[in-house]
Amino acid sequence: MEPLETLVGQPVDTPRASLAAASLKAASVRFGTYTAIDRLDLRIEAGAFYTILGPSGCGKSTLLRLVSDLIPAAGGDVSIFGKTTEQARLAREFAFVFQDAALLPWRSALKNVELPLEIGRKRGAVIPTGPRSPRELLELVGLKGRENALPHELSGGMRQRVAIARALLCQPKLLLMDEPFGALDEMTRDRLNLQLLDIWRETGTTILFVTHSISEAVFLGQKVIMLRANPGRLREIVDIDLPEPREMKMRDTPEFNRYCSHLRELLETC
Amino acid sequence: MAAIDTLPIADPQAAARSAARRERLVSAIVPIGTAAALIGLWQLGVRTFGVPTYIAPAPSDVAVTFVEKFPLLMQNFWPTFFESVAGFLVGNLAAILIAVAFVHSRNVERAFFPIAVFVNTIPILAIAPILVLIFGPGMTAKVVIAALICFFPTLVNMVRGLQSVSPQTLELARILSASKSEVFWKMRLPSSLPFLFSALKISATTSVIGAIVGEWVGADLGLGALIIDATFNFNSPLLYATVLMSSGLSVLMFALVTLAERRIVRW
């Protein structure tokens, strides 16, 4: 029998509670002789909204692809909620939203959202069922009534919302987004930013969001991860202390603009 | 402006509808009218200059023969129809399966694509006698020739179609831990359908050409045999009627493929 003292003496925080959503330790990615990411240390806290900024070629997209097990680490260690990236992929712990919605054009919006349920068992994926049905998810992203529309009948913003609903289907604890609104016009982008924040609060998921836009990074992120290029390394993590929930009018405040100009300076000296 | 006053109050929707109807009517009348005018010109030319029937029959002669010899034409239509359809099915099925093998393995493609290109460069008229020698004067040789002529366009298009899945869709498949067969059935194959139908439309008409060329080399029955027969007997009206029948068969095949495409490819 264990002596009682050692049990009592353990920290109150269980390891499970302090588990990082994603943790990178000296992780590197190489394409041939080119080093895209060089010994990156990063800890992504569960439940937070991170935006990733950096000059082009700094490995923003590569970082998401490393975390999502699309490309292997050349060195170091990457874990997601304490699991390897492969285990996390098979357990559907994370989902990915691409810049191009990557919908299957012959499937209706609803059938596209249902796709993750049909794929992966043969390779050993365990498919969790989230609390929301595909129909409810389409409603959550504001596409109620468009379930049977084919992708070409939807606007760019609507297609991206279908992609988000699809990503949310297996209730991922980590949502990786690679410039999901990059190809949209500014008004659509603003609307989707607000909607994404609502979804984030409602689902409690962790979000890693790559963007080119400084103001989008500040508006969405609790923390902005600034990377530098050649090779890709961490420049700085900037905490954004703006009141929650975020509102459009905050973008006219001096604090917001201070964050933006600070990040712009960082970008210029990357 | 009395004229304007007496105009009924325009319903803009009705006006748009009638404009659309007029547009459709014009787009149908123009090509039909042009064709009819050309046929009329042909009739007039043949009659005015007294061209002998065996050199160029008047459209009216062709029409009369078409009606009179309709049983003969139909008797020769069916063999060509079956050869074309069988060749179409065999050639395209082979092309689809080989395209799948090519996409599955780069080495299979490296090994066999040059051969496919080589076979395609041989004129069909040159290869037809060889195939008739191999398969004899029956239907088989014609089916093989029709299949051969269908094969290459479908192979090339199908390979492109199977490879047309976007990189991001393939990344999505990987994140969903999709197996190779899931990627094939759920992504590659549906993506290839628009490309496949482009090729099928081409081979719908070329398969008829293949069957007819096969019949030229040696056959007793079929539109190709009838064309040869009519030519050697200087029976120009029958020749023209047979040609009309052949092109009718091509149009029928093309229409069937187009109909299938409309039903299947709706994106």
Side-chain angles (χ1 to χ4, degrees):
Chain A
M1 208 176 116
E2 290 280 305
L4 196 62
E5 292 90 322
T6 57
L7 283 176
V8 173
Q10 276 180 354
V12 190
D13 239 352
T14 64
R16 182 115 202 115
S18 64
L19 222 47
S23 157
L24 289 83
K25 294 194 182 92
S28 301
V29 173
R30 278 187 210 102
F31 299 119
T33 54
Y34 173 71
T35 303
I37 293 180
D38 188 33
R39 282 165 295 156
L40 183 66
D41 288 302
L42 195 60
R43 189 185 153 88
I44 303 298
E45 299 298 341
F49 200 133
Y50 289 81
T51 49
I52 304 175
L53 263 183
S56 48
C58 70
K60 301 186 291 280
S61 294
T62 308
L63 175 60
L64 290 195
R65 279 164 176 76
L66 173 66
V67 170
S68 57
D69 198 33
L70 284 173
I71 45 179
D77 182 56
V78 183
S79 66
I80 294 173
F81 292 102
K83 297 174 177 166
T84 66
T85 50
E86 191 193 358
Q87 288 165 344
R89 166 166 63 76
L90 289 172
R92 295 272 165 93
E93 300 242 345
F94 58 80
F96 207 112
V97 178
F98 302 91
Q99 176 169 11
D100 150 22
L103 301 180
L104 302 180
W106 53 89
R107 282 177 167 246
S108 67
L110 186 66
K111 286 270 172 201
N112 264 293
V113 176
E114 287 169 349
L115 181 74
L117 300 178
E118 301 168 18
I119 282 180
R121 284 194 185 83
K122 270 189 232 163
R123 282 281 161 94
V126 177
I127 300 170
T129 42
R132 286 189 175 88
S133 71
R135 262 173 208 287
E136 288 166 339
L137 282 167
L138 277 178
E139 197 178 337
L140 178 73
V141 297
L143 286 175
K144 190 177 163 63
R146 301 309 303 270
E147 290 86 355
N148 295 320
L150 290 173
H152 76 88
E153 298 165 331
L154 299 171
S155 69
M158 289 175 174
R159 282 200 289 271
Q160 207 51 269
R161 286 187 282 171
V162 175
I164 292 172
R166 177 179 64 194
L168 293 174
L169 183 66
C170 292
Q171 210 187 5
K173 288 190 261 178
L174 176 61
L175 192 54
L176 305 163
M177 307 184 88
D178 189 9
E179 294 184 46
F181 308 140
L184 303 178
D185 64 86
E186 206 170 332
M187 275 171 61
T188 311
R189 179 190 271 229
D190 287 348
R191 198 147 33 84
L192 289 189
N193 278 344
L194 285 172
Q195 213 173 17
L196 180 62
L197 286 172
D198 286 341
I199 289 169
W200 169 61
R201 272 189 298 272
E202 225 176 301
T203 56
T205 185
T206 317
I207 295 182
L208 261 178
F209 186 106
V210 167
T211 176
H212 267 128
S213 154
I214 293 174
S215 65
E216 188 175 48
V218 174
F219 181 69
L220 290 174
Q222 294 180 308
K223 288 168 193 289
V224 179
I225 298 170
M226 177 71 83
L227 297 178
R228 73 168 79 203
N230 292 322
R233 280 186 174 163
L234 184 64
R235 170 70 200 257
E236 197 175 316
I237 296 183
V238 180
D239 287 304
I240 308 292
D241 278 323
L242 290 172
E244 303 281 348
R246 304 282 167 89
E247 285 163 27
M248 272 299 145
K249 59 175 189 278
M250 282 176 197
R251 295 195 301 187
D252 303 321
T253 61
E255 294 114 286
F256 188 91
N257 288 318
R258 249 197 314 280
Y259 282 121
C260 286
S261 48
H262 174 59
L263 287 168
R264 197 167 296 115
E265 273 165 38
L266 281 178
L267 259 180
E268 276 159 9
T269 57
C270 263
Chain B
M1 298 299 275
I4 286 179
D5 288 339
T6 54
L7 276 175
I9 296 162
D11 171 2
Q13 266 190 345
R17 263 202 305 278
S18 81
R21 207 176 311 130
R22 207 173 315 123
E23 181 59 37
R24 264 204 305 279
L25 208 64
V26 167
S27 70
I29 284 173
V30 169
I32 292 172
T34 308
L38 286 173
I39 291 171
L41 210 62
W42 171 12
Q43 176 83 22
L44 202 72
V46 169
R47 289 284 180 258
T48 314
F49 299 108
V51 181
T53 304
Y54 66 90
I55 292 180
S60 58
D61 299 335
V62 176
V64 168
T65 309
F66 193 89
V67 174
E68 278 178 359
K69 300 280 174 129
F70 194 70
L72 178 69
L73 286 169
M74 282 316 283
Q75 194 194 343
N76 285 282
F77 170 87
W78 289 116
T80 309
F81 174 77
F82 288 127
E83 287 156 12
S84 308
V85 171
F88 177 84
L89 293 178
V90 171
N92 285 310
L93 195 67
I96 290 168
L97 292 178
I98 290 173
V100 171
F102 279 8
V103 173
H104 191 75
S105 154
R106 282 285 295 154
N107 275 332
V108 174
E109 183 175 0
R110 281 196 196 101
F112 289 104
F113 194 66
I115 299 175
V117 173
F118 172 71
V119 170
N120 185 53
T121 56
I122 305 174
I124 201 77
L125 266 171
I127 207 168
I130 298 174
L131 291 169
V132 171
L133 284 178
I134 295 173
F135 294 105
M139 271 201 178
T140 317
K142 285 86 180 176
V143 172
V144 172
I145 294 165
L148 209 60
I149 210 170
C150 292
F151 177 77
F152 197 72
T154 303
L155 176 69
V156 172
N157 272 288
M158 192 66 189
V159 168
R160 266 205 66 193
L162 290 170
Q163 289 169 341
S164 71
V165 182
S166 78
Q168 298 199 329
T169 303
L170 290 176
E171 286 189 329
L172 173 73
R174 171 132 174 82
I175 281 171
L176 295 175
S177 314
S179 70
K180 258 194 141 173
S181 74
E182 283 168 338
V183 172
F184 179 78
W185 291 109
K186 297 218 179 262
M187 292 163 183
R188 287 193 187 280
L189 195 63
S191 298
S192 74
L193 287 179
F195 293 83
L196 175 63
F197 271 103
S198 300
L200 291 184
K201 280 188 193 161
I202 297 171
S203 55
T205 55
T206 54
S207 66
V208 178
I209 296 174
I212 287 176
V213 167
E215 287 164 355
W216 279 359
V217 178
D220 312 322
L221 216 54
L223 294 174
L226 197 59
I227 286 173
I228 296 283
D229 210 45
T231 309
F232 287 144
N233 290 320
F234 295 99
N235 191 347
S236 297
L238 181 61
L239 172 63
Y240 277 57
T242 314
V243 169
L244 201 66
M245 202 72 179
S246 312
S247 94
L249 175 55
S250 289
V251 169
L252 177 73
M253 300 268 289
F254 186 84
L256 287 177
V257 172
T258 307
L259 214 66
E261 182 185 32
R262 282 215 194 119
R263 299 211 60 165
I264 294 168
V265 184
R266 290 189 310 173
W267 59 92

